[in-house]
């Protein structure tokens, strides 16, 4: 049980780090859409390929032309990632700690 609990804690940390990195990728992509820097074009293409599959479904619900040309999909995605990160990582960590406490009490 100790190994499984430690695995859950480690998985939670990795998920948290991955989601934090993805939030920063979305932020950088949003900033690069506001500023056109030709030397950063290859980076913009990479960020577009990483974020577009996630942002595109949200644009169907909140199209930029209805919001005065402002694309709110990055903001919505960031809020959703923060929610999932808080819910999933905290749930995994709390469950793992309960497993460790139960194991410690059984001795």
């Amino acid at each position: 049980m100790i190994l499984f609990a430690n695995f859950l804690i480690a998985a939670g940390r990795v998920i948290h780090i991955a989601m934090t990195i993805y939030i920063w990728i979305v932020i950088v992509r949003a900033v690069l859409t506001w500023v056109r820097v030709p030397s950063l074009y290859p980076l913009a293409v990479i960020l577009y390929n990483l974020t577009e599959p996630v942002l595109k479904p949200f644009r169907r619900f909140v199209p930029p032309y209805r919001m005065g040309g402002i694309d709110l999909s990055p903001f919505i995605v960031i809020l959703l990632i923060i929610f999932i990160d808080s819910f999933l990582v905290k749930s995994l960590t709390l469950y793992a700690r309960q497993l460790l406490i139960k194991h410690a009490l059984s001795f």
Side-chain angles (χ1 to χ4, degrees), residues 48-70:
Y48 178 85
N49 289 333
L50 288 173
T51 58
E52 191 57 26
V54 176
L55 295 174
K56 189 175 183 179
F58 292 100
R59 281 198 200 103
R60 280 188 271 156
F61 298 111
V62 186
Y65 63 85
R66 288 190 183 168
M67 302 303 292
I70 298 172

Side-chain angles (χ1 to χ4, degrees), residues 50-90:
L50 288 173
T51 58
E52 191 57 26
V54 176
L55 295 174
K56 189 175 183 179
F58 292 100
R59 281 198 200 103
R60 280 188 271 156
F61 298 111
V62 186
Y65 63 85
R66 288 190 183 168
M67 302 303 292
I70 298 172
D71 187 10
L72 293 179
S73 59
F75 180 70
I76 295 169
V77 167
I78 289 171
L79 288 178
L80 185 64
I81 291 172
I82 290 171
F83 174 77
I84 292 171
D85 182 42
S86 296
F87 176 74
L88 183 64
V89 172
K90 286 183 182 179

